[in-house]
Amino acid sequence: MIESPDDVNFFDPDVNNCPYDAYDVLREHAPIWQDPITGMFVMTRYEDIKDALVDVAVFTNAVGSAAGMTEKAVKPTDPEELAKHEQMVKEEAILTGMYEKDGWVPVATLDALDPPTHMELRRMFDQAFRPGRIRELDPFVEDLTNRLFDDFIDKGACEWVQAVAIPVPLYTIGRQMGVPDEDMPQIKAWTDAWVQRLGLMQTFEERVWSAEKEIEAQQYFKPIFDRLREHPEDTLLSDLVNKEIPEWGRTLTDAELQSEMMADFFVGGSETTTNAIAAGMRELIEKPALWEQLKSEPEKYLPTFCEEIIRIEGPVQGLLRELSEDVEMHGVHMPAGSIVNLRFAAANRDEREYDNAGEVDLDRERSRTHLAFGFGEHFCLGAPLARREMYWSFKVLIDRVENMRFAEGKNDFGYHPNYFLRALKELHIEFEKKA
């Protein structure tokens, strides 16, 4: 039981499965808390995190990607943890050597860049996610979701994560990128390996395995980049390969393309939405009254339901920033160079900002004020698409299913171990098909 900040350990499997008691304790008693294991300062209150997201000059992205955390990104205060960290730094050097030998060393991607570089790159991506392009995808997402339901609707049961939550966003981003459907399961396996390394909970042997898988993905994409340079297509991937960034006077390098493919498109463009769709189903089964209300007026309540699930379940629990100068908050001194973990999932349950913060409220006003998609300059580029993917997943559910329940004896409600993401492993459900 977590009663004080001293009890908090985000690497504990029980806390990983349900971090919300830890967030409650930290928001109340230590809104700026230095994690003794990682050395990072963890921020948990809504207003503090919102202010940090706006102040990009002080709360910078110099730390880079969480998947490639270096010595500066982790400064443990505990001597035993410091020794572990020093070993990890040596191991990271070995992993870097693997990329240098057989692939491309990962570089900072869009979500890990500061102004003005961030906006210069983002302008190229904005075209792909403009409202008109998202509307064009709507019929595809609706049809895809119905086809997925066709595969299991007569059985009266499915494993929801594999049946719907994974394929809806995965095959949608695959269509945008122009990747063949038959290759998507392999790409999913590669992104799973990438996500596991991001989570900071692997052994060294497991991190080697993840690096090997990412290098496999790089070798898969390299011939595609080369082909698109010779023969451009009307796809997002072709645009990424061939469009020059005016301020840079060049197109993206192979290393930049490889990193963007994994981090921002196939992980950022599918994994987080998968987690939200899975979380939404669990919430509807656990709260029958919520399901009845949602069914009563889908067009009124579905958009709010999607926002509320993203808010209370936080597919991305938090991301990192590096301080460019000393900062003092809530009596805690954070020196320049410190790494700050902005814990969005804690902020989104802050009772100072939301009434009944831990519950889905389909009548909640200003439901889009949550920080699950970030805020300000780094607001999630793919948010409009994620909202449509969630919408159709649950709209088709309402159209085709009467009632759901958990399949008896098949669920342990475990989550993948991950410091930054919240991902339900599986969700076995049973239901009555709508007549």
Side-chain angles (χ1 to χ4, degrees):
M1 185 172 178
I2 297 174
E3 297 179 342
S4 78
D6 292 338
D7 300 324
V8 175
N9 176 1
F10 289 118
F11 294 95
D12 184 310
D14 290 335
V15 177
N16 184 81
N17 270 358
C18 186
Y20 301 115
D21 288 345
Y23 293 156
D24 291 345
V25 167
L26 292 181
R27 278 197 312 269
E28 188 62 30
H29 301 290
I32 304 296
W33 174 73
Q34 189 167 22
D35 184 344
I37 296 177
T38 66
M40 295 186 288
F41 290 94
V42 178
M43 190 179 293
T44 50
R45 288 187 182 174
Y46 181 95
E47 282 298 330
D48 295 338
I49 293 177
K50 188 175 180 180
D51 290 345
L53 290 170
V54 173
D55 192 356
V56 295
V58 174
F59 291 84
T60 76
N61 263 318
V63 62
S65 170
M69 292 181 72
T70 58
E71 183 171 6
K72 70 172 182 178
V74 185
K75 302 173 183 177
T77 56
D78 180 272
E80 183 176 341
E81 294 299 334
L82 181 60
K84 292 179 182 177
H85 163 66
E86 290 173 346
Q87 178 62 30
M88 181 178 286
V89 172
K90 295 177 183 177
E91 293 168 354
E92 283 297 324
I94 295 173
L95 297 176
T96 299
M98 291 172 58
Y99 287 105
E100 291 173 337
K101 178 177 180 291
D102 296 317
W104 290 263
V105 178
V107 299
T109 59
L110 181 65
D111 71 332
L113 295 173
D114 282 317
T117 310
H118 170 266
M119 190 52 65
E120 293 164 357
L121 178 58
R122 182 172 178 129
R123 288 192 193 101
M124 182 170 69
F125 297 161
D126 279 340
Q127 183 72 6
F129 293 96
R130 70 187 191 277
R133 183 68 70 89
I134 300 303
R135 285 193 296 270
E136 291 171 6
L137 277 171
D138 229 37
F140 171 82
V141 181
E142 179 185 9
D143 179 67
L144 168 64
T145 309
N146 271 299
R147 285 188 284 113
L148 293 169
F149 271 73
D150 289 343
D151 290 340
F152 62 78
I153 193 70
D154 291 329
K155 301 174 185 176
C158 74
E159 195 285 286
W160 178 254
V161 176
Q162 291 292 330
V164 176
I166 287 174
V168 168
L170 182 67
Y171 283 87
T172 301
I173 195 66
R175 181 180 178 87
Q176 278 194 299
M177 301 301 285
V179 174
D181 284 355
E182 58 268 25
D183 291 352
M184 294 310 299
Q186 179 59 68
I187 290 174
K188 172 61 178 170
W190 287 328
T191 60
D192 283 348
W194 192 96
V195 166
Q196 289 175 43
R197 187 174 177 213
L198 169 81
L200 304 183
M201 294 187 181
Q202 288 182 311
T203 64
F204 177 58
E205 290 74 18
E206 290 168 337
R207 284 155 58 213
V208 168
W209 170 80
S210 283
E212 289 172 345
K213 293 302 177 185
E214 184 172 1
I215 292 168
E216 284 181 16
Q218 292 177 339
Q219 296 296 340
Y220 167 87
F221 284 118
K222 171 60 174 171
I224 297 177
F225 299 157
D226 292 341
R227 173 175 58 80
L228 291 174
R229 289 187 177 107
E230 291 293 323
H231 305 286
E233 299 172 353
D234 184 22
T235 63
L236 172 56
L237 181 53
S238 184
D239 288 348
L240 295 179
V241 169
N242 292 298
K243 282 191 174 181
E244 180 178 294
I245 300 172
E247 296 86 352
W248 300 7
R250 63 172 176 83
T251 58
L252 295 177
T253 66
D254 281 342
E256 290 165 339
L257 286 167
Q258 297 284 9
S259 295
E260 290 294 345
M261 291 297 288
M262 295 300 290
D264 287 336
F265 289 100
F266 282 111
V267 173
S270 65
E271 180 72 25
T272 52
T273 310
T274 286
N275 299 342
I277 294 170
M281 174 57 84
R282 180 177 180 181
E283 187 75 7
L284 289 174
I285 295 178
E286 289 181 337
K287 310 286 175 56
L290 181 66
W291 172 235
E292 292 302 320
Q293 184 182 3
L294 185 63
K295 289 192 299 180
S296 69
E297 293 187 70
E299 293 309 312
K300 175 182 177 181
Y301 292 126
L302 255 177
T304 303
F305 173 73
C306 294
E307 301 298 330
E308 283 285 271
I309 288 299
I310 295 168
R311 180 183 66 81
I312 72 161
E313 273 300 307
V316 179
Q317 294 281 291
L319 291 177
L320 306 180
R321 295 293 186 267
E322 181 175 336
L323 296 180
S324 64
E325 60 184 52
D326 290 6
V327 173
E328 180 118 3
M329 295 181 69
H330 301 289
V332 176
H333 179 73
M334 296 181 285
S338 296
I339 305 306
V340 181
N341 184 358
L342 308 181
R343 214 70 182 175
F344 306 136
N348 286 334
R349 289 179 175 233
D350 192 341
E351 296 284 357
R352 296 163 186 80
E353 182 65 21
Y354 298 104
D355 295 330
N356 201 20
E359 299 293 331
V360 170
D361 181 355
L362 297 185
D363 294 303
R364 192 180 299 280
E365 298 179 358
R366 299 170 57 247
S367 61
R368 290 193 175 191
T369 60
H370 61 78
L371 302 178
F373 288 127
F375 186 79
E377 187 167 318
H378 283 278
F379 185 81
C380 178
L381 188 70
L385 180 58
R387 286 171 168 139
R388 297 312 293 167
E389 291 164 343
M390 289 187 69
Y391 172 88
W392 283 115
S393 297
F394 294 108
K395 177 64 166 61
V396 173
L397 177 74
I398 292 168
D399 289 344
R400 303 188 65 173
V401 169
E402 282 291 349
N403 297 296
M404 302 89 65
R405 58 192 171 273
F406 298 128
E408 188 173 352
K410 290 188 175 182
N411 293 299
D412 63 7
F413 304 107
Y415 288 78
H416 290 288
N418 199 294
Y419 194 85
F420 295 102
L421 303 182
R422 180 161 172 80
L424 191 63
K425 291 181 180 178
E426 57 184 11
L427 191 64
H428 296 271
I429 68 168
E430 298 172 348
F431 54 83
E432 280 77 47
K433 175 184 174 181
K434 184 172 284 189

